[in-house]
Amino acid sequence: MYKKIFLLSLLFAGFLKSQTTTNVISQAVYYDGYAATVSTPVPSGLIRLNNARYARKLTDTELDSFKATISMKVTIGALCDNYDRLGEVFLALVPKNQPTYTINDANVKRIEVGRYITPFMNKNRTPTQVPYTYDVSNLYSIFHSTELRNMYDIYMELDVFGVPYAANNEVAGCAGRNDVFSGTLTFTSTNTGTATDYNTLVPILTYNRLNNYNSTDVAGETVRIVSFNLPTPVTNARFFVISTPHGNPEEYNRRQNYTYIDDVQVLTYTPGGTSCEPYRVYNTQANQIYHSTPQTTSWWTSWNNWCPGSSVPTREFTLSSLAAGNHTLKHTIPTAVFNQEGEVNLSVYMQGKSNTTLKAAENVKITDVGIYPNPTSDFVNIKSETGISSISLFNINGRKLSENYGDDKIDISTQSKGTYILNIVLKDGTTFKHKIIKK
């Protein structure tokens, strides 16, 4: 009996020895996101980028200590914000030996590695903390990249935007306060898996606000085009996508999202679609989403895009190979309708393998394109600040039906009802296809 206990103790001790914990940010206090940056002392070792975001540089010892399987944990504590808010974790590449930086520093390259939604919390009721966990084992290649570490210092940023105004009146002890949440960021890593060996990193979009079209309500305009250049071929190109819709009416409408690489549809998803009941325990403030009694799964999945108190899923797709040269990523939500409140926050980055290490975010160009109305009975309008070089109309079988040069619209009134393909060339050389429906 004692021998068995001794052996178990040795095994447990061996497991603890193979596990590394890295505490990056510990219970940092966040303040009103709309107010001027506070002057309260910054926790030791951190940079306050604004009221909603802290950053800390990872040391060489910490970077060397990361093992094959990496778990990231965010813990948000209740202070004086009692509404659901967005929070994110970013990995920031800061030019080597630059002592500090600002949130808008053009020399800093970022990828978003995790997003979460805070619950409706009352700091006087338990639980007062919410845990969010993520598998970020793919970051092993970044943490251990000699090339990247020679060029950049690697920082982690924990962001949570909060507003105290409602809590000032609704939560006991919050009158006159501007602190909104506390935040903790911790990594745990073990040798239980196989370490990733990517040597390519391409930040494509980082918390990019999908076009709200100058506060118009036109459906069919929600298109984001990003062109990026690869100087060498890349294999096993793994893309990571995070998105969440916010503001009426999109916050409460489940819309299908489509992602294309070089006009090939590679990812289709609709946010939400899960029950939010498991997160009810964290929503300690009365609200209009969590009613007094549990709701059915079908009720939740009929409308929700995300759950207050939950992590936002990071969606992935992998392409076996990408040739050297220019590529285009297109993300579209064809049925979305935006007003002054509406937006979708979109992040995309890629990791893969190539013969040489790519510089992060060196050849990325973002273009907003409006394509509307869709469906249409006559004209299709194309809106782009870059300008339109040509628009070609093809039927679904690939036969060219018409073409315009230098115009920002095309007439399809003489075509039969059905689905058509527009081939659009912008004046900067960006080329992409878009599906249009003639009604």
Side-chain angles (χ1 to χ4, degrees), residues 383-416:
K383 181 175 68 176
S384 171
E385 292 182 359
T386 304
I388 310 300
S389 178
S390 67
I391 310 169
S392 304
L393 179 69
F394 292 81
N395 65 17
I396 202 68
N397 296 318
R399 184 168 73 88
K400 184 184 289 187
L401 304 174
S402 64
E403 189 167 33
N404 281 352
Y405 290 94
D407 202 352
D408 61 359
K409 62 184 177 182
I410 191 166
D411 185 1
I412 67 170
S413 60
T414 60
Q415 306 298 331
S416 303

Side-chain angles (χ1 to χ4, degrees), residues 24-25 42-48 54-58 99 155-156:
V24 181
I25 295 173
V42 178
S44 178
L46 302 187
I47 297 174
R48 177 184 287 133
Y54 288 96
R56 183 169 82 75
K57 183 174 77 172
L58 297 178
Y155 283 73
M156 297 306 305

Side-chain angles (χ1 to χ4, degrees), residues 295-310:
Q295 303 297 309
T296 64
T297 298
S298 61
W299 183 84
W300 284 111
T301 57
S302 67
W303 65 272
N304 78 314
N305 283 298
W306 35 260
C307 298
S310 70

Side-chain angles (χ1 to χ4, degrees), residues 115-379:
R115 189 179 299 181
Y116 57 93
I117 311 291
T118 66
F120 295 81
M121 284 194 289
N122 184 323
K123 70 179 184 63
N124 303 303
R125 300 172 186 166
T126 57
T128 58
Q129 290 189 328
V130 189
Y132 308 87
T133 58
Y134 310 80
D135 180 359
V136 292
S137 300
N138 60 293
L139 299 184
Y140 177 92
S141 295
I142 299 175
F143 292 152
H144 287 272
S145 170
T146 301
E147 292 82 359
L148 282 177
R149 287 168 58 176
N150 284 338
M151 294 174 61
Y152 302 102
D153 289 322
I154 297 178
Y155 283 73
M156 297 306 305
E157 301 176 350
L158 178 59
D159 185 288
V160 54
F161 184 92
V163 182
Y165 313 146
N168 290 158
N169 298 318
E170 297 173 3
V171 177
C174 283
R177 289 172 55 172
N178 69 339
D179 54 327
V180 289
F181 296 104
S182 66
T184 297
L185 175 63
T186 303
F187 290 96
T188 302
S189 62
T190 66
N191 274 325
T192 54
T194 302
T196 58
D197 60 350
Y198 304 117
N199 65 351
T200 295
L201 173 65
V202 183
I204 298 175
L205 291 170
T206 303
Y207 206 71
N208 191 265
R209 291 187 174 183
L210 209 61
N211 202 338
N212 67 2
Y213 316 106
N214 298 317
S215 303
T216 63
D217 259 346
V218 179
E221 293 189 25
T222 319
V223 181
R224 175 58 41 83
I225 307 295
V226 187
S227 57
F228 58 96
N229 181 275
L230 301 177
T232 59
V234 173
T235 59
N236 295 322
R238 187 178 176 189
F239 290 79
F240 301 83
V241 180
I242 305 176
S243 70
T244 44
H246 290 274
N248 291 323
E250 291 309 297
E251 191 165 314
Y252 304 109
N253 286 281
R254 300 186 62 224
R255 313 284 196 184
Q256 200 155 39
N257 287 240
Y258 302 90
T259 305
Y260 299 79
I261 298 290
D262 299 331
D263 300 322
V264 176
Q265 187 173 324
V266 289
L267 181 65
T268 302
Y269 66 91
T270 303
T274 59
S275 173
C276 294
E277 285 302 322
Y279 309 100
R280 175 182 290 273
V281 63
Y282 301 117
N283 288 265
T284 55
Q285 167 77 24
N287 60 83
Q288 295 179 346
I289 294 178
Y290 283 91
H291 300 285
S292 57
T293 57
Q295 303 297 309
T296 64
T297 298
S298 61
W299 183 84
W300 284 111
T301 57
S302 67
W303 65 272
N304 78 314
N305 283 298
W306 35 260
C307 298
S310 70
S311 303
V312 174
T314 299
R315 296 174 173 86
E316 300 180 27
F317 62 89
T318 300
L319 302 179
S320 59
S321 63
L322 281 174
N326 289 320
H327 297 274
T328 300
L329 178 144
K330 180 177 77 169
H331 190 90
T332 178
I333 313 169
T335 60
V337 177
F338 289 105
N339 57 28
Q340 292 185 7
E341 297 180 9
E343 64 187 26
V344 172
N345 297 296
L346 178 65
S347 288
V348 184
Y349 70 95
M350 184 266 280
Q351 288 182 281
K353 298 185 68 173
S354 67
N355 293 330
T356 60
T357 299
L358 304 184
K359 295 181 180 179
E362 286 299 322
N363 297 296
V364 175
K365 177 177 174 57
I366 301 171
T367 305
D368 286 331
V369 180
I371 303 172
Y372 62 96
N374 186 15
T376 184
S377 59
D378 42 41
F379 285 93

